[in-house]
C-alpha cells in the first residue's frame, strides 16, 4: 500500500469506526461484533503508525466512545472513566507484563485478574454512605445522569452497609441483564413486531437510557461493581482491597477474582476464568488484568485513552464458516415473520449449529445475505448464533438476491408492515401457524402447563382439524385421540387428565396464556393479583389498568383492546362454558390480610426482624407487590433504621410511611409465627 492509498484507508476507517461507536454506545444496536470492531481499530492504529501525518492524536483509534444522548442531564465524573487496551493474544499479554516488570526493576508484581463484564459502564456515587447518583461513562469526562433507572435495580442498596465509608465515593461497574430477562423481553418485543435486541448487553444499554421510568421498571437490570473511580479519603491500598470493600459495603461484586504473582500465574488464572465464566450471571468477553498495588498503578500512569497498569485480554468469540442452504420463514404467534438461516451443520462453542436467526428483512438486506452463500456464523458466549457476514469470494455465480415473501408462507395472506415496525406480519388470525403457536403458548409450562401438549402434539391436532383455537383444547375427545397411533391409551388418558386439571389453573397462568401483547408472566401476575377474577379483569377500564404499578399507557391499551375484541370475547365465553374457571389462591392463606392485596410496598432502610428478601417474600405471599422506587402509586413505604432518600421522597409525595412495628401490625398475627 502506498502513502496515498493508506491515507484514503485511514480516512475510511476513521469514519467507519466513528459510525460503529455511535451505533454501539448511543443507539445500542451495533451492526458488527466486538471482534470485528477491534480488528478495524487495530488496522487503523497500525496504518497510523506506519503512515503518520501528525493528526493521529485525536484520531478515533485514540478516543473512547461517547454514549451521551438527548434528554439526560450531563454530570461530570470526579475522576475520568477510562477505557482499556485490548488484546486477543498471549504474547501481547506477556509484553504488557514485561513493560511493567521493566518499569519496576524486576521486583515480583502482584496482579488481580477479574472477569471483563460485557455490560454498560456506570459510575455510582455514594455520599455519607447514601446512594445519590448513577452516571454513564459518556465521553469519559462527563456522562448521562441515569439515577432514576439505576435506582430500580433491586440489588443496589440505598445505603452502604457498616459505618466505615468515605464522605464521597464513586464506584465503577457494569450494568447488565441476565439471559433469562433478555429472553423474556425479547420474546415480548418480537410478538409486538418491534426490533429484537441482539444480545443482553444491547438491551441493558437501551433500558438504562429509557426516559420512561415506568417502562424501565418493567425490565429488570442488575449491576456488578469492581472499581473505585474517586474516593474522598484513602481507604484501601490495592485493587483486591477494593473488591473486599465493595463486598463489605453490601454491594454486588464479581463472583470471583484472582490475586496472583507474575504473568505466568496471570495466564493460568485467565484459563480458569474462561472455564468457569459460563456459570456467571452476566456475559463476559474477557479478563481484565490489573496491577494490584494502587501506588504502583499511580506510578505506571496512563496514556490518553487507557491506563498502563491494566489490560483486557479478550476471549475470541467462536466463529465458523458454513453454507447457508436455505432461508425459511417462521410465523410467530402474532403473525410476525422471522427469517431463519438453515445451515450446513457446524461445530461452534461446543454445540452443533444448524440454524441461526437472520433477525428481519431489513437486516438481511443490509448484509445482502443470499441462499447458497458461505457465511460466517458467530456464537458470542451464550447468545443465539447469528450470521455475521457473507464471504463474497465464495458466492456462487448464479446467486440472486433473496426476495422476502410478500405472502404468508403458511396461509398465503398478503403480509403487512405497520408504520414504525421493522417486522412484517401475516394479518390473518386464523393462519394455521399462528393458531399452532397460540395453542403451544397457552399449553406451555410458563402458562397453563399442560403436560403432553407440546409442539409435536399441537401440530398433529391442528392438522387433523381438531384444534382451531385454545377453546378446542377442552373439547378434545378420547375416541379421536386414540386414533392417533398404537398403544396411545395411557398417554391419551394422561393428556386428558392434564387438560382437565388446567381448568382450575391459577388466574395469572390463564391470563399469560391468552397471549395479550406485552403481557408476560410478571404483568399477568400483577393483573391477577389486582383483579382476582377473569370477569373483573375483562371489564376493567383503562384508568383502573393504569393504576396498577408498572402499567403504562401502552400495556393498559393492549389489555383493553384484547378484551374489547369481539372474537376474544367469544373465545372467553366458550372457555368458561367448557368449564375453565381460573382460580386465585386465598391471599390470607399466607398469613396475610386485605391490607396487602393489590397494594405496592417499598422497603427502605434496615429492618430488624427480617432481611429485605424475607420481607418481600412475605408481602408477595400475602398478595402485595414490592417495588424498588417510590411513586404516587406506592401504597406504603416501610422505613427501617437509616432509611434514605426513599423516605424523603415518600414524605414529599405524601405516601404513607410505616415503621417496622406498624408494618408488623398489618398482619392479623405476627408473620414470623406463620
Ligand atoms: S477497569 C481504568 N474492570 O470494559 C480501568 N473495566 O473495554 C477502567 N469493563 O471501560 C476499567 N469489566 O466499562 C474494568 N473488571 C473490569 C471490567 C471493565 C468490564 C469494561 C469497562 C471498561 C471497558 C473497557
Amino acid at each position: 500500500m502506498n502513502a496515498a492509498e493508506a491515507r484514503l484507508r485511514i480516512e475510511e476507517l476513521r469514519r467507519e469506526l466513528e459510525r460503529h461507536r455511535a451505533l454501539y454506545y448511543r443507539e445500542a444496536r451495533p451492526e458488527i461484533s466486538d471482534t470485528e470492531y477491534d480488528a478495524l481499530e487495530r488496522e487503523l492504529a497500525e496504518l497510523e503508525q506506519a503512515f503518520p501525518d501528525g493528526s493521529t492524536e485525536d484520531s478515533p483509534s485514540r478516543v473512547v466512545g461517547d454514549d451521551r444522548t438527548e434528554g439526560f442531564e450531563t454530570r461530570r465524573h470526579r475522576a475520568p472513566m477510562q477505557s482499556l487496551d485490548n488484546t486477543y493474544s498471549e504474547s501481547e499479554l506477556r509484553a504488557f507484563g514485561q513493560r511493567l516488570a521493566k518499569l519496576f526493576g524486576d521486583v515480583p508484581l502482584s496482579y488481580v485478574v477479574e472477569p471483563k463484564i460485557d455490560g454498560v459502564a456506570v459510575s455510582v456515587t455514594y455520599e455519607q454512605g447514601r446512594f445519590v447518583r448513577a452516571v454513564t461513562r459518556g465521553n469519559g469526562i462527563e456522562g448521562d445522569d441515569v439515577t432514576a433507572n439505576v435506582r430500580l435495580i433491586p440489588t443496589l442498596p440505598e445505603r452502604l452497609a457498616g459505618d466505615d465509608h468515605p464522605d464521597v465515593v464513586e464506584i465503577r461497574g457494569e450494568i447488565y441483564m441476565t439471559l433469562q430477562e433478555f429472553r423474556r423481553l425479547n420474546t415480548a418485543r418480537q410478538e409486538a413486531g418491534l426490533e429484537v435486541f441482539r444480545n443482553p448487553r444491547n438491551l441493558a444499554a437501551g433500558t438504562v437510557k429509557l426516559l420512561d421510568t415506568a417502562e424501565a421498571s418493567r425490565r429488570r437490570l442488575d449491576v456488578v461493581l469492581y472499581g473505585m473511580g474517586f474516593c474522598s479519603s484513602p481507604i484501601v491500598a490495592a485493587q483486591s482491597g477494593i473488591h473486599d470493600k465493595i463486598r463489605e459495603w453490601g454491594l454486588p461484586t464479581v463472583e470471583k477474582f484472582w490475586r496472583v504473582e507474575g504473568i505466568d500465574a496471570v495466564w493460568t488464572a485467565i484459563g480458569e476464568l474462561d472455564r468457569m465464566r459460563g456459570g456467571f450471571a452476566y456475559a463476559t468477553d474477557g479478563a481484565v488484568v490489573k496491577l494490584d498495588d494502587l501506588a504502583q498503578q499511580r506510578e505506571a500512569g496512563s496514556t490518553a485513552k487507557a491506563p498502563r497498569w491494566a489490560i483486557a485480554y479478550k476471549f475470541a468469540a467462536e466463529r465458523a464458516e458454513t453454507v447457508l442452504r436455505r432461508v425459511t420463514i417462521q410465523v410467530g404467534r402474532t403473525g410476525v415473520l422471522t427469517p431463519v438461516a438453515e445451515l450446513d451443520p457446524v461445530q461452534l462453542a461446543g454445540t452443533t449449529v444448524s440454524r441461526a436467526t437472520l433477525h428481519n428483512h431489513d437486516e438481511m438486506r443490509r448484509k445482502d445475505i443470499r441462499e447458497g452463500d458461505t457465511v460466517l456464523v458467530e456464537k458470542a458466549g451464550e447468545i443465539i448464533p447469528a450470521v455475521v457476514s457473507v464471504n463474497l469470494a465464495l458466492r456462487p455465480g448464479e446467486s440472486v438476491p433473496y426476495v422476502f415473501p410478500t405472502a404468508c408462507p403458511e396461509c398465503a395472506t398478503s403480509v403487512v408492515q405497520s408504520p414504525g415496525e421493522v417486522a412484517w406480519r401475516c394479518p390473518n388470525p386464523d393462519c394455521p401457524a399462528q393458531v399452532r403457536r397460540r395453542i403451544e403458548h397457552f399449553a406451555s409450562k410458563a402458562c397453563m402447563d399442560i403436560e403432553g401438549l407440546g409442539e409435536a402434539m399441537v401440530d398433529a391436532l391442528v392438522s387433523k382439524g381438531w384444534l382451531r383455537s385454545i377453546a378446542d383444547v377442552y373439547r378434545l375427545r378420547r375416541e379421536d385421540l386414540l386414533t392417533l397411533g398404537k398403544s396411545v391409551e395411557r398417554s391419551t388418558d394422561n393428556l386428558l387428565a392434564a387438560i382437565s386439571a388446567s381448568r382450575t389453573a391459577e388466574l395469572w397462568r390463564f391470563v399469560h396464556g391468552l397471549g395479550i401483547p406485552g403481557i408476560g408472566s410478571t404483568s399477568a401476575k400483577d393483573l391477577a393479583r389486582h383483579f382476582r377474577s377473569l370477569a373483573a379483569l375483562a371489564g376493567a377500564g383503562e384508568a383502573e389498568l393504569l393504576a396498577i404499578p408498572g402499567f403504562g399507557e401502552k400495556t393498559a391499551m393492549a389489555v383493553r383492546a384484547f378484551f374489547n375484541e369481539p372474537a376474544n370475547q367469544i373465545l372467553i365465553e366458550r372457555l368458561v362454558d367448557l368449564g375453565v374457571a381460573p382460580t386465585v389462591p386465598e391471599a390470607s392463606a399466607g398469613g396475610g390480610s386485605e391490607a396487602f392485596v393489590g397494594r405496592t410496598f417499598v422497603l427502605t432502610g434496615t429492618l430488624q426482624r427480617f432481611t429485605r428478601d424475607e420481607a418481600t417474600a412475605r408481602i408477595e405471599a400475602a398478595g402485595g407487590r414490592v417495588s424498588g422506587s417510590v411513586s404516587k402509586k406506592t401504597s406504603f413505604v416501610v422505613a427501617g433504621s437509616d432509611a434514605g432518600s426513599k423516605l424523603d421522597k415518600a414524605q414529599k409525595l405524601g405516601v404513607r410511611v410505616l415503621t417496622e412495628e406498624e408494618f408488623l401490625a398489618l398482619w392479623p398475627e405476627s408473620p414470623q409465627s406463620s
Side-chain angles (χ1 to χ4, degrees):
M1 187 182 284
N2 64 35
E5 283 166 353
R7 287 262 63 81
L8 279 177
R9 180 67 184 147
I10 286 174
E11 290 310 315
E12 182 180 39
L13 283 166
R14 287 181 184 170
R15 273 197 310 274
E16 270 297 278
L17 285 164
E18 174 100 46
R19 192 171 77 83
H20 289 307
R21 263 195 308 277
L23 285 168
Y24 181 90
Y25 286 108
R26 286 224 171 89
E27 299 178 36
R29 47 175 200 95
E31 284 174 9
I32 58 175
S33 69
D34 285 8
T35 325
E36 288 169 292
Y37 179 87
D38 290 341
L40 293 178
E41 200 175 61
R42 175 160 295 231
E43 184 188 345
L44 175 59
E46 280 166 6
L47 281 175
E48 284 174 345
Q49 206 167 30
F51 300 91
D53 75 338
S55 74
T56 51
E57 259 321 288
D58 59 351
S59 122
S61 74
R62 303 263 177 279
V63 295
V64 296
D66 188 351
D67 66 55
R68 288 173 302 165
T69 41
E70 253 340 82
F72 287 90
E73 273 213 61
T74 310
R75 300 266 185 186
R76 205 177 163 85
H77 301 297
R78 284 187 173 85
M81 285 181 83
Q82 287 184 299
S83 191
L84 287 172
D85 280 333
N86 277 334
T87 181
Y88 288 86
S89 96
E90 182 184 347
S91 63
E92 284 184 9
L93 172 79
R94 289 187 180 276
F96 157 82
Q98 273 156 13
R99 282 195 298 278
L100 290 174
K102 201 163 144 206
L103 181 66
F104 291 102
D106 287 324
V107 291
L109 293 173
S110 292
Y111 292 98
V112 163
V113 177
E114 47 189 59
K116 182 168 178 350
I117 298 115
D118 192 13
V120 183
V122 70
S123 178
V124 292
T125 308
Y126 281 83
E127 289 178 9
Q128 268 76 44
R130 225 176 240 194
F131 170 70
V132 291
R133 192 171 305 121
V135 182
T136 65
R137 177 165 54 200
N139 63 358
I141 303 298
E142 50 184 32
D144 281 345
D145 187 327
V146 287
T147 311
N149 291 346
V150 172
R151 259 227 162 90
L152 300 169
I153 299 178
T155 51
L156 190 71
E158 198 56 39
R159 292 199 128 252
L160 298 179
D163 31 42
D164 174 27
H165 19 78
D167 287 348
V168 182
V169 59
E170 278 183 6
I171 304 166
R172 304 280 158 83
E174 300 281 311
I175 289 174
Y176 67 94
M177 188 174 274
T178 60
L179 196 59
Q180 189 190 18
E181 178 70 354
F182 165 72
R183 291 207 173 116
R184 182 181 80 80
L185 293 168
N186 248 0
T187 309
R189 287 183 70 85
Q190 186 155 32
E191 293 298 347
L194 298 169
E195 190 164 6
V196 291
F197 283 93
R198 199 67 62 77
N199 58 48
R201 194 251 161 220
N202 297 350
L203 187 44
T207 304
V208 171
K209 289 295 185 83
L210 280 174
L211 286 165
D212 175 358
T213 313
E215 175 58 29
S217 73
R218 284 192 286 274
R219 307 183 187 176
R220 176 169 169 144
L221 290 174
D222 280 284
V223 67
V224 50
L225 300 165
Y226 51 69
M228 222 177 261
F230 172 85
C231 190
S232 56
S233 50
I235 49 161
V236 285
Q239 172 64 19
S240 47
I242 294 177
H243 284 297
D244 295 340
K245 271 283 164 230
I246 289 174
R247 180 155 303 157
E248 201 180 301
W249 287 337
L251 298 168
T253 183
V254 291
E255 275 104 331
K256 187 163 168 71
F257 68 88
W258 289 255
R259 185 178 179 278
V260 295
E261 281 204 1
I263 222 73
D264 284 336
V266 164
W267 185 243
T268 310
I270 289 177
E272 273 177 43
L273 169 63
D274 194 15
R275 282 190 291 279
M276 67 191 297
R277 67 197 178 106
F280 292 166
Y282 36 77
T284 51
D285 57 354
V288 181
V289 182
K290 300 174 181 173
L291 266 182
D292 189 32
D293 188 301
L294 298 189
Q296 286 180 342
Q297 288 187 2
R298 277 190 292 275
E299 202 176 329
S302 300
T303 66
K305 177 193 164 204
R308 290 197 188 86
W309 47 265
I311 194 164
Y313 175 85
K314 295 233 233 157
F315 300 120
E318 295 221 33
R319 302 167 142 216
E321 272 198 349
T322 186
V323 177
L324 189 166
R325 290 288 164 203
R326 224 158 40 89
V327 175
T328 51
I329 302 285
Q330 268 184 359
V331 184
R333 175 156 54 91
T334 55
V336 171
L337 270 57
T338 305
V340 175
E342 307 288 344
L343 307 164
D344 278 353
V346 62
Q347 279 299 115
L348 205 55
T351 52
T352 308
V353 172
S354 54
R355 307 182 89 198
T357 175
L358 292 165
H359 302 293
N360 55 55
H361 183 210
D362 279 10
E363 181 78 21
M364 282 189 74
R365 213 174 21 195
R366 194 156 50 225
K367 292 186 173 153
D368 186 20
I369 296 169
R370 305 179 180 187
E371 290 183 328
D373 270 344
T374 298
V375 292
L376 190 61
V377 183
E378 176 174 297
K379 196 156 181 252
E382 55 281 294
I383 320 306
I384 320 147
V387 174
V388 177
S389 59
V390 175
N391 184 341
L392 291 176
L394 297 180
R395 174 168 280 174
E398 72 279 14
S399 148
V400 287
Y402 178 76
V403 183
F404 203 78
T406 52
C408 172
E410 292 270 348
C411 69
T413 306
S414 291
V415 297
V416 294
Q417 190 180 36
S418 307
E421 290 190 353
V422 284
W424 286 89
R425 44 167 107 228
C426 163
N428 170 18
D430 300 321
C431 167
Q434 293 182 50
V435 171
R436 281 199 303 270
R437 294 270 141 73
R438 280 203 292 272
I439 299 171
E440 267 167 46
H441 172 75
F442 181 77
S444 70
K445 234 183 167 44
C447 300
M448 298 296 266
D449 195 13
I450 304 176
E451 215 180 314
L453 199 52
E455 201 177 317
M457 190 59 155
V458 172
D459 250 11
L461 300 177
V462 171
S463 45
K464 284 272 180 199
W466 298 338
L467 290 185
R468 269 165 293 122
S469 85
I470 57 177
D472 291 339
V473 168
Y474 297 95
R475 299 195 338 192
L476 286 171
R477 296 185 323 180
R478 188 168 187 272
E479 57 269 36
D480 289 339
L481 292 171
L482 286 175
T483 63
L484 282 176
K486 288 190 197 118
S487 59
V488 289
E489 202 148 316
R490 195 147 146 219
S491 56
T492 296
D493 288 337
N494 288 344
L495 174 61
L496 288 171
I499 290 172
S500 196
S502 77
R503 285 192 165 91
T504 51
E506 283 191 48
L507 179 58
W508 72 264
R509 291 186 168 277
F510 180 81
V511 173
H512 187 203
L514 289 175
I516 306 168
I519 302 296
S521 58
T522 309
S523 310
K525 282 179 191 167
D526 287 342
L527 288 170
R529 211 178 286 131
H530 189 90
F531 293 103
R532 304 187 61 77
S533 83
L534 187 55
L537 166 61
E542 209 171 305
E544 204 181 343
L545 289 160
L546 275 170
I548 302 176
F551 273 58
E553 206 125 307
K554 245 166 74 186
T555 324
M557 261 161 56
V559 174
R560 214 33 274 150
F562 182 90
F563 289 106
N564 275 348
E565 171 66 46
N568 293 333
Q569 290 170 357
I570 294 170
L571 172 74
I572 287 172
E573 249 169 58
R574 280 180 61 204
L575 283 160
V576 172
D577 286 348
L578 288 160
V580 177
T583 52
V584 178
E586 268 307 305
S588 55
S593 77
E594 277 307 298
F596 293 89
V597 177
R599 300 244 157 83
T600 304
F601 289 73
V602 172
L603 304 169
T604 178
T606 316
L607 301 175
Q608 301 304 314
R609 314 280 176 102
F610 15 55
T611 65
R612 280 209 187 177
D613 283 350
E614 283 162 3
T616 303
R618 299 284 181 176
I619 292 168
E620 287 181 350
R625 186 176 191 274
V626 177
S627 158
S629 62
V630 182
S631 76
K632 277 186 287 190
K633 291 178 186 169
T634 308
S635 321
F636 300 109
V637 167
V638 182
S641 54
D642 298 326
S645 61
K646 292 183 191 172
L647 177 55
D648 300 342
K649 186 152 180 207
Q651 280 158 348
K652 221 178 279 162
L653 294 174
V655 171
R656 172 109 191 259
V657 177
L658 302 175
T659 62
E660 188 168 348
E661 291 310 312
E662 289 168 324
F663 173 57
L664 283 167
L666 293 181
W667 271 274
E669 45 187 296
S670 160
Q672 284 184 319
S673 63
S674 67

